[in-house]
């Protein structure tokens, strides 16, 4: 009753170090894959399950036209493919190819 909960507090210096490490990892992953961090996030999201472009845009908190450009680029690189949505003829699902799954796994394996 008398003690304050300090488990959720993070010292400012620790926060800065964690931010620097996160930034360093983002740079390392982006350079290793030759992709922007936004495209890496798209790959990692698609590794969980296929998404429509709209759902992927929501997941990434990005504008749908920008996500379309990202998916166009990832598709040109052979990392994703569009396929018909099984329940909505108007929509397409985006899924990883084998190369895309390998790239997402490689991103996850880079230490940070």
């Amino acid at each position: 009753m008398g003690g304050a909960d300090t488990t959720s507090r993070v010292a400012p210096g620790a926060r800065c170090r964690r931010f620097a490490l996160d930034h360093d990892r983002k740079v390392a992953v982006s350079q290793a894959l030759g992709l922007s961090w936004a495209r890496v996030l798209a790959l990692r999201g698609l590794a969980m399950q296929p998404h429509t472009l709209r759902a992927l845009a929501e997941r990434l908190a990005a504008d749908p036209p920008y996500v379309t450009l990202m998916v166009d680029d990832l598709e040109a690189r052979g990392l994703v493919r569009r396929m018909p949505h099984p329940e909505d003829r108007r929509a397409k699902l985006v899924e990883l190819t084998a190369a895309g799954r390998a790239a997402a796994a490689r991103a996850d394996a880079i230490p940070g």
Side-chain angles (χ1 to χ4, degrees):
M1 273 198 166
D5 179 18
T6 59
T7 58
S8 62
R9 292 187 194 162
V10 177
R15 224 176 295 142
C16 289
R17 281 189 299 281
R18 188 173 63 223
F19 176 79
L21 291 173
D22 288 347
H23 175 72
D24 291 348
R25 181 173 185 281
K26 288 176 185 178
V27 170
V29 171
S30 293
Q31 288 178 344
L33 298 180
L35 298 171
S36 70
W37 183 247
R39 284 166 173 75
V40 171
L41 291 177
L43 284 180
R44 293 179 74 214
L46 292 168
M48 293 182 211
Q49 68 181 35
H51 290 289
T52 63
L53 287 170
R54 181 176 304 279
L56 187 58
E58 289 174 9
R59 178 179 178 78
L60 298 173
D63 291 328
Y66 178 61
V67 172
T68 298
L69 292 174
M70 286 194 319
V71 169
D72 287 346
D73 178 61
L74 294 171
E75 190 172 35
R77 295 171 185 253
L79 300 173
V80 302
R81 68 175 161 245
R82 289 176 171 100
M83 55 187 253
H85 192 288
E87 298 165 6
D88 184 353
R89 294 181 348 165
R90 299 167 298 166
K92 298 275 186 192
L93 285 176
V94 181
E95 70 176 2
L96 293 181
T97 61
R101 282 189 298 279
R106 187 171 171 207
D108 287 339
I110 294 173

